[in-house]
Amino acid sequence: MTTVSNSGAGAPHAPTPVRQGGTSVRKVAIASGIGTTIEFYDFFIYGTAAALVFPTVFFPALGSTAGTVASFATFAVAFVARPVGAMLFGHYGDRIGRKKTLISTLILMGVSTFLIGLLPGAATIGVAAPILLVLLRFGQGFAVGGEWAGATLLTAEYAPPGKRGLYAMFPQLGPAVAFILSSATFLVTGSLLGDTNEVFLDYGWRIPFLFSAVLVGIGLYMRLAIEETPVFRAAQQADRADAAPRTLPLMDAWRFQTKEILLSAGALATLFAFFYMGTAFLTSYGTKTLGFSRPFVLTVGIASAVVFGFTIVVSALYSDRIGRRRVIMISCGLAVVWALALFPLLDTGSPVAFTIGVMVTLAIFGIAYGPCGALLPEMFQTRYRYTGAGLGYNLAGVLGGAVPPLIAAPLASAYGSAAIGVLLAVLGVVSLLCTKALVETKDDAL
């Protein structure tokens, strides 16, 4: 394999304008953060509903355990769809621009989520209900597959030298804010409807999905107000001046930087596993296995998301000082130890232990998540940066976000909950080794 170094790596930083054509870095950061918040809000409410509602509404004939497994299998579908979305949207993001592509991903996510809120249950339309649910979930994953890379590229390509970790942090905060919003929406909905299972299962769970249409409108307004990145515009001008035929971004990314794609996927696999555990799975585990009330579990989720957001900020800022690679390695090392301690702690049945379990899980996720918004854009050349960063990120989603949902519940049933911890610890070791093999990128120019 031929490896092409990052363009400008080791060279002095070219000054990136703080304001370009009326678009300031701060405005781009806010627009990217709002956009990822909306996209991940839509993504999270599905995970919460998969834990609390979907086994009963869409898989009633399977029983409690099998219904939960089937529900989380639909949750995993989105992670499988994400690399496909990364390839398609990455192609257009590298060809027609970051801004136009991000508008498309936001619209697709909004339509998919809104239609889930209107979808009749299995009691009404039979087997068509779970089939349509899977298709709409695929649409969500397809959209997120193209969203993340574009949002981080917007901020990273606008950011001044030495501050990419700081500015790329804003889209990374989207999941933390989205988790707060999704949990709060379900909490308020349950409170206003009396939190009775009958009303909640009938139509209460639909309100967060339908409400997403309002958020998507806000996100579109923000994204339409910003301009294309100066880095991408410069690359387009260079391409027009080059008479050589252009190849597909996907082919170039895979041909020249296969190693970086695979290593980044392995390095971030644990990040996704802890993301899934700290949100969807522990929501289900807390209510169904440990017997905690839905309001308590959702409140813990909100508090944990605040901790999650704080660790994203701190780790992103430190990555500008000590490097992306070192910060992510710290997260992977902590993940190996915490994975083995998590379920013995949870199985004490203590509300305090459950709170600590969710908070620490999301905090470890946040330590790795903060720097990766700058890391992946820095690893790839401009002409296929959207595609390369999206592929690495979303392949990690398959390894860490699709596999655990499918096997966690059967694994716990067959070998006890500690087996899930062993699975997470093994993923942590793999991520630690892959991160160690990466090259530090914080001083590379884009």
Side-chain angles (χ1 to χ4, degrees), residues 28-30 32-34 36-37 155 165-175:
V28 170
I30 293 172
S32 296
I34 290 176
T36 54
T37 296
T155 51
L166 167 64
Y167 284 102
M169 167 192 76
F170 283 88
Q172 299 302 86
L173 283 172

Side-chain angles (χ1 to χ4, degrees), residues 361-374:
T361 300
L362 287 180
I364 292 173
F365 167 40
I367 292 171
Y369 200 63
C372 76

Side-chain angles (χ1 to χ4, degrees), residues 179-180 183-184 187 278-279 282-283 286 292-308 346 350-362:
F179 192 42
I180 293 173
S183 297
L187 190 63
T279 55
L282 290 186
T283 298
F292 296 128
S293 69
R294 185 190 304 131
F296 170 74
V297 171
L298 292 174
T299 302
V300 169
I302 293 171
S304 300
V306 174
V307 176
F308 170 35
L346 294 176
S350 163
V352 175
F354 179 78
T355 303
I356 294 172
V358 178
M359 283 187 174
V360 174
T361 300
L362 287 180

Side-chain angles (χ1 to χ4, degrees), residues 285 288 313 378:
Y285 197 79
K288 292 183 170 59
V313 173
E378 291 168 349

Side-chain angles (χ1 to χ4, degrees), residues 341-353:
L342 176 59
F343 283 92
L345 177 68
L346 294 176
D347 290 342
T348 62
S350 163
V352 175

